[in-house]
Amino acid sequence: MDGDMAQQQQDRAQRPQTDAAQKTRVAIIGSGLAGLATAHLLHNDRESRFNVALFEQAETLSLDAASVTLKNATTGVSERVNIPPRSVTRGYYPNLTQMYDHLRIPLRSVRYTFLYAEIQATKTKPGPRQPQSTDPRAGTYFAFEKLYKPVLSSGGNGGWVQQLWQTVFLAACYLWFIASCFLIEPQTNQKSNTSESLRAYLRRIRIPRRFVDYHLLPALGAICTCSHEQLYNFPASDVINFMTRSALQKTYMTDGVHNLQSKLIEGVEDIRLSARVRKVERVGNGVLIQWDRQDGSGSISEEVFDRVVLAVTPNVAANIFAPSSYALASIPTAPIEATVIDPSSKRISVEERGQAPSGRLFSQHNHPQLMAFRTHFSDAVVQTEAWNYLPSGAICRTSPYPYTSEEGTVLHTAHFTRTLRTVESRSIVQRIVCRGDRPSTGRGVMASDDGSEKKGRGEWVNGKDNVWVTGSWCWDGMVLLEGCVVSAMRVADEFDVEVPWRKRIEN
């Protein structure tokens, strides 16, 4: 055995080192989790075959760009807040949590109390326009310490008998729904090759409408940041997989986002900030990237790479890479807003924005936290916002609507694009991105130089023209962080690069 190891070391020593000019030049557009995870995997390839260039249109990397450090003037304690807040379970996020473990970034367990509140919106306009109270009890009609552990709500209407009856009703509905998720699979339309929608599935299992409207959809709407009507159009399989893999799982907060960002880009030297990509185009044996310099000069630059990874939302990919536009442009997206609010009027201040590592965590291990699902019921749209009441006293609100409250000072605002799921968009993603592969085991097939191997000559699919897409939407599941890691792993597979944290899962 020792002789074999010595021979292997000698062979490696005699093997000619890969010259920088011989390396495959890969451009990664976008510096969210998907882009940074892809850059990390390719940069740390054991055979050192890739030169990675990272493009970001903003002045800072985007993964941690919206985060802030808050300071409470009364207590003097600082708190680092991820914007938007990110919580995970090991059941639904196996690849993400194993990546955290591999990078030795701790996950902090957290206990949530969920408040369900009804906020009456205007009946004539498609969104709330009335000032909202920052009091967590405003409009509360029920509470859960966990999704499977109901608690009587002091904010509910009626006496204790009515609240007790409501508790029994909800417990029965929840058990019924969870049992259905485990026992009744979604149907597939063989003619259209589309899966069953959530609306059709809920009708088929005959779950009570009041439970759906006032409890199930508010929780899902807060997670997905979309309207209840949009949720009805989700593939039922997305919700079922999320519920079955999250049930009875401990919840963790991904507090170390700055540390994660720092470790993922460690060693990646070619980082091009303030570079807004205008066009990606196949030219000869390479891929041309054209971008604007967002430094006030107004200059336009061009460069040819061997391969390009688009770590962006589908609408952006469709806009800059023409061959993908036919399929990706039809995937729906929606804008969302994350707002940090100080309800105490100038007691809390922002010490640092983005990229700063100095803010320490206020919360200790397993610190309880309050999350309010505030649903606006109107004739035009029913929409749930998530109000996360932070230990420092601040509130992080995530919603598709601008903040309209007159109670509290806005400390920070960030805007994001949410990719929505439908049964049609699921079929598109499966056809052009997933193609039946299994990103958590085995290896994929690399594209040939002309990008055509096993990719066909018609519709664009992932890897054709030496262009790939990654992101939270690039997998068969809810548009959440796990999709970022899974799609980055898929690119690594197709580039024949080892994923170091995969061994932890397989063993």
Side-chain angles (χ1 to χ4, degrees):
M1 179 68 68
D2 292 340
D4 293 340
M5 293 181 62
Q7 182 63 44
Q8 292 175 6
Q9 292 175 356
Q10 183 178 358
D11 292 342
R12 283 195 294 268
Q14 294 176 351
R15 183 184 303 168
Q17 297 296 315
T18 303
D19 186 80
Q22 297 175 327
K23 291 185 178 182
T24 300
R25 302 181 68 244
V26 182
I28 299 175
I29 301 172
S31 62
L33 178 57
L36 297 187
T38 305
H40 175 81
L41 290 170
L42 300 186
H43 174 74
N44 290 281
D45 171 47
R46 286 191 174 185
E47 299 180 29
S48 207
R49 294 169 292 170
F50 304 98
N51 272 338
V52 176
L54 191 62
F55 286 78
E56 169 56 50
Q57 67 174 352
E59 297 179 355
T60 58
L61 297 174
S62 66
L63 179 59
D64 192 44
S67 301
V68 293
T69 301
L70 304 178
K71 183 173 182 180
N72 189 306
T74 302
T75 63
V77 177
S78 296
E79 176 187 12
R80 184 68 175 170
V81 180
N82 294 325
I83 307 297
R86 302 172 175 98
S87 59
V88 300
T89 63
R90 289 191 178 273
Y92 193 75
Y93 300 80
N95 296 285
L96 175 70
T97 53
Q98 291 293 344
M99 183 182 70
Y100 264 81
D101 294 342
H102 170 75
L103 297 174
R104 298 185 178 182
I105 301 175
L107 294 167
R108 175 177 59 89
S109 64
V110 61
R111 292 184 292 112
Y112 278 112
T113 295
F114 299 99
L115 299 182
Y116 292 76
E118 178 179 357
I119 307 299
Q120 290 294 340
T122 175
K123 298 293 184 179
T124 59
K125 296 183 180 181
R129 296 295 183 267
Q130 302 172 4
Q132 303 175 46
S133 171
T134 56
D135 183 352
R137 296 170 298 179
T140 300
Y141 55 85
F142 207 73
F144 282 86
E145 184 177 328
K146 289 244 181 176
L147 287 178
Y148 53 84
K149 184 178 180 182
V151 179
L152 289 177
S153 171
S154 59
N157 296 324
W160 69 269
V161 174
Q162 183 177 349
Q163 291 194 42
L164 179 60
W165 166 248
Q166 186 181 28
T167 302
V168 174
F169 170 77
L170 291 179
C173 290
Y174 184 77
L175 291 174
W176 183 356
F177 177 67
I178 288 296
S180 299
C181 289
F182 279 99
L183 300 175
I184 304 176
E185 295 184 359
Q187 296 177 341
T188 300
N189 188 320
Q190 299 298 333
K191 292 183 178 180
S192 61
N193 195 30
T194 56
S195 60
E196 187 175 25
S197 69
L198 180 61
R199 184 196 306 274
Y201 183 82
L202 294 175
R203 286 176 177 172
R204 187 158 61 91
I205 65 174
R206 299 182 181 278
I207 198 77
R209 181 64 181 269
R210 179 168 181 81
F211 171 76
V212 172
D213 289 344
Y214 284 84
H215 298 275
L216 177 61
L217 294 187
L220 294 175
I223 295 170
C224 301
T225 325
C226 60
S227 71
H228 291 194
E229 182 63 28
Q230 291 167 332
L231 277 170
Y232 274 128
N233 295 325
F234 270 42
S237 58
D238 283 13
V239 176
I240 289 172
N241 289 334
F242 179 80
M243 298 299 295
T244 55
R245 292 168 60 183
S246 300
L248 302 179
Q249 290 280 314
K250 184 180 292 187
T251 302
Y252 297 91
M253 292 292 291
T254 56
D255 287 318
V257 173
H258 176 81
N259 292 335
L260 174 63
Q261 178 174 282
S262 299
K263 291 192 176 185
L264 289 178
I265 63 170
E266 185 175 350
V268 180
E269 297 181 353
D270 192 356
I271 299 177
R272 309 183 189 191
L273 302 176
S274 300
R276 179 179 177 271
V277 174
R278 297 164 53 107
K279 182 173 68 174
V280 174
E281 182 180 25
R282 178 67 184 266
V283 289
N285 292 327
V287 184
L288 172 71
I289 293 182
Q290 183 183 91
W291 73 95
D292 293 328
R293 296 184 181 273
Q294 304 290 297
D295 55 5
S297 64
S299 61
I300 299 176
S301 301
E302 292 184 348
E303 191 170 344
V304 176
F305 292 84
D306 298 308
R307 301 175 186 175
V308 172
V309 179
L310 305 177
V312 294
T313 54
N315 58 318
V316 173
N319 186 48
I320 64 177
F321 181 54
S324 71
S325 61
Y326 178 77
L328 299 187
S330 60
I331 297 179
T333 60
I336 63 173
E337 178 183 274
T339 312
V340 181
I341 306 162
D342 175 15
S344 60
S345 299
K346 300 183 179 179
R347 186 182 68 181
I348 303 170
S349 60
V350 175
E351 284 190 313
E352 296 162 319
R353 301 177 187 272
Q355 317 304 313
S358 59
R360 67 183 180 86
L361 295 176
F362 178 88
S363 306
Q364 300 300 317
H365 184 74
N366 208 31
H367 194 288
Q369 210 158 314
L370 186 65
M371 176 78 74
F373 302 146
R374 301 165 68 116
T375 303
H376 300 257
F377 292 91
S378 73
D379 295 336
V381 64
V382 180
Q383 167 70 50
T384 299
E385 302 174 339
W387 289 55
N388 190 358
Y389 290 77
L390 304 171
S392 64
I395 302 169
C396 183
R397 167 188 174 271
T398 308
S399 171
Y401 301 124
Y403 181 59
T404 58
S405 176
E406 294 178 352
E407 302 183 26
T409 303
V410 174
L411 302 176
H412 181 65
T413 301
H415 296 90
F416 306 92
T417 299
R418 168 72 75 180
T419 302
L420 304 177
R421 290 276 282 181
T422 65
V423 294
E424 293 80 15
S425 69
R426 183 197 184 211
S427 296
I428 294 173
V429 172
Q430 286 183 320
R431 187 171 68 249
I432 70 171
V433 178
C434 300
R435 300 194 308 280
D437 60 354
R438 294 174 296 172
S440 60
T441 58
R443 292 292 180 94
V445 178
M446 291 180 62
S448 58
D449 290 339
D450 64 359
S452 63
E453 183 174 344
K454 294 191 177 181
K455 303 284 194 296
R457 298 285 181 178
E459 181 185 39
W460 182 85
V461 293
N462 212 24
K464 188 176 181 181
D465 300 320
N466 284 332
V467 176
W468 284 258
V469 290
T470 63
S472 57
W473 58 277
C474 295
W475 76 311
D476 190 21
M478 303 272 267
V479 183
L480 299 172
L481 293 178
E482 179 71 2
C484 296
V485 182
V486 168
S487 58
M489 293 168 63
R490 181 180 293 112
V491 171
D493 286 344
E494 297 208 14
F495 285 26
D496 198 30
V497 172
E498 181 181 1
V499 178
W501 56 83
R502 177 176 286 146
K503 291 182 178 180
R504 295 174 177 264
I505 298 175
E506 293 178 346
N507 293 339

